[in-house]
Amino acid sequence: MKERSKNSVDKPVIEEVIYQNPLLFLKIWEINEKEKAYSTLEQHPWHYHKEVEFLAIIEGNLAIQNKYNTTILGPGDVYIMGTSQPHRSCKPAFGVLKYIVFQVDLTKHFDQSILPYLYCFSELTHPLEQLNYIFEMNPLIKQEAHCLIIDSFKEAQEQQKGYEIAINYHIKKLMLLLVRHDTKNLLNYTEENDLTRLKPVLDYIDHHLQHKISVEEAANLLNLSYHYFIKYFKKIMGLSFVDYINFKRIKKAELLLLTSDLSITEISYEIGISNIAQFYKLFKRLNNCSPKEFKQKMQSETEISLPKENNSKSLYLF
């Protein structure tokens, strides 16, 4: 990878990512640019999306610019772009350019067993693109990440039995590589004893989602003052106490929408939100759709429809 000077970010465009598989909350495809096609960064507008983006270069060179720097990627390179981070890219020279774009909502892949690591990817202190140093410093890790992205694309393309499990595994393995090889601790990994100390509070939340959850009672479980507890919880989890509770409630609502015949109003009460307007607001904030739209989308027949190779110029290269 070769870096150049950074430029200003001006009027970025919001890009809506249409999931190929709504159950996996991702879009993955291959871009294949012709030999004679090339462009400059200035020809492409800044854009961003709430999904994290992984790139795996197969052939040729790709120039990618974010608000920090411009990087030239080559064959075998891997690049990660954090959520809602403005960026743009171009094919800087003649020759074939072939690479995989993997856009995914990582928050949807945090099940109960790994939820304590959600704070690592919250980007409260550092954008995820700063983690690209891992791939620059560790050729073997870069190679492994590259293979995971390529394998995810193949799984999505072939759709053999269990491909959803395979892709979910690859996503978790990518996160594991970042957590274990972040020697600069940009992910703000917290020692296990801190998470262990919070376990009574996390259990208390899980068991009382249907009821009013008191900050004071949670703080008392750890013998901490109200104000210290609020700061401590956010430091360890990467989310405020209220945001964490809302996240857990909406995750439970998603499960109920998929597995029960309860009405949306009943589900709202079941997860401890008596104000239906507030429930809709929180649900849409996390899912970019209403509960009804979510249920309809999940119940519809799901097929990954991979786009054909893109050999023409478009507004975005990814």
Side-chain angles (χ1 to χ4, degrees):
M1 300 183 187
K2 180 181 179 182
E3 295 188 355
R4 296 178 180 173
S5 61
K6 54 187 177 181
N7 292 321
S8 61
V9 179
D10 189 25
K11 295 182 179 179
V13 178
I14 300 176
E15 177 187 352
E16 181 182 1
V17 175
I18 306 301
Y19 298 136
Q20 294 161 333
N21 186 326
L23 294 175
L24 290 172
F25 299 91
L26 61 83
K27 180 180 180 182
I28 184 167
W29 75 104
E30 178 185 280
I31 289 182
N32 195 341
E33 295 286 326
K34 294 181 178 179
E35 291 186 15
K36 295 183 179 180
Y38 78 96
S39 60
T40 64
L41 286 168
E42 290 72 20
Q43 292 176 284
H44 300 276
W46 292 94
H47 64 285
Y48 65 94
H49 37 75
K50 69 181 182 67
E51 291 74 17
V52 171
E53 182 167 277
F54 294 93
L55 301 175
I57 311 301
I58 300 172
E59 185 178 357
N61 294 103
L62 176 71
I64 179 168
Q65 182 180 25
N66 56 39
K67 60 184 179 181
Y68 303 102
N69 53 52
T70 299
T71 303
I72 306 297
L73 304 174
D77 278 340
V78 172
Y79 196 86
I80 179 173
M81 180 66 64
T83 178
S84 299
Q85 296 297 319
H87 58 283
R88 59 184 178 179
S89 67
C90 75
K91 179 172 175 285
F94 289 111
V96 173
L97 171 60
K98 186 176 180 181
Y99 64 103
I100 302 298
V101 184
F102 190 4
Q103 297 172 330
V104 57
D105 185 346
L106 288 182
T107 63
K108 301 301 182 182
H109 293 268
F110 282 86
D111 54 38
Q112 188 66 32
S113 64
I114 65 170
L115 193 57
Y117 288 89
L118 177 62
Y119 73 93
C120 288
F121 295 88
S122 63
E123 301 190 75
L124 291 176
T125 57
H126 300 282
L128 289 184
E129 49 261 51
Q130 291 188 14
L131 293 174
N132 285 302
Y133 84 88
I134 296 174
F135 305 130
E136 296 174 5
M137 295 176 61
N138 299 273
L140 292 179
I141 300 305
K142 180 172 69 174
Q143 182 181 12
E144 185 173 356
H146 194 277
C147 289
L148 287 169
I149 296 169
I150 300 299
D151 288 346
S152 295
F153 173 70
K154 291 179 180 178
E155 289 285 353
Q157 188 176 47
E158 297 171 1
Q159 296 188 43
Q160 295 185 28
K161 185 176 181 180
Y163 76 94
E164 302 95 335
I165 299 174
I167 293 176
N168 185 272
Y169 164 76
H170 293 157
I171 292 170
K172 287 183 168 63
K173 188 63 182 293
L174 283 168
M175 290 193 288
L176 177 61
L177 288 177
L178 295 174
V179 169
R180 286 196 170 171
H181 298 279
D182 176 24
T183 57
K184 297 182 180 180
N185 200 28
L186 297 180
L187 291 174
N188 293 316
Y189 174 73
T190 305
E191 294 299 327
E192 185 177 355
N193 57 351
D194 285 322
L195 294 173
T196 301
R197 187 182 183 189
L198 271 184
K199 190 175 186 305
V201 173
L202 301 181
D203 290 342
Y204 166 73
I205 293 172
D206 287 339
H207 297 150
H208 293 82
L209 284 178
Q210 189 176 358
H211 310 288
K212 181 179 179 180
I213 297 178
S214 166
V215 180
E216 290 82 1
E217 188 167 346
N220 289 337
L221 290 173
L222 303 185
N223 294 317
L224 299 176
S225 68
Y226 176 95
H227 294 291
Y228 184 83
F229 171 76
I230 291 296
K231 293 179 181 179
Y232 180 73
F233 188 93
K234 187 169 184 177
K235 175 185 175 183
I236 303 306
M237 297 302 295
L239 294 171
S240 71
F241 185 70
V242 173
D243 285 344
Y244 179 81
I245 292 171
N246 288 335
F247 179 85
K248 294 285 290 186
R249 282 175 166 158
I250 297 305
K251 294 298 288 185
K252 183 177 180 180
E254 292 172 5
L255 182 62
L256 291 173
L257 284 166
L258 294 175
T259 60
S260 76
D261 294 324
L262 296 174
S263 68
I264 292 175
T265 300
E266 289 172 330
I267 289 175
S268 181
Y269 280 95
E270 188 70 19
I271 63 171
I273 302 178
S274 57
N275 186 326
I276 191 68
Q278 178 69 4
F279 172 53
Y280 270 82
K281 181 180 179 181
L282 290 172
F283 195 94
K284 193 165 186 178
R285 182 188 300 168
L286 290 175
N287 287 288
N288 203 32
C289 66
S290 69
K292 182 179 179 180
E293 291 169 338
F294 178 87
K295 187 169 185 176
Q296 290 174 340
K297 182 169 60 176
M298 294 300 111
Q299 288 180 339
S300 64
E301 184 177 357
T302 302
E303 290 186 5
I304 288 187
S305 179
L306 293 169
K308 296 179 180 179
E309 288 186 352
N310 181 9
N311 291 317
S312 61
K313 291 186 178 180
S314 59
L315 183 62
Y316 309 124
L317 285 183
F318 60 88

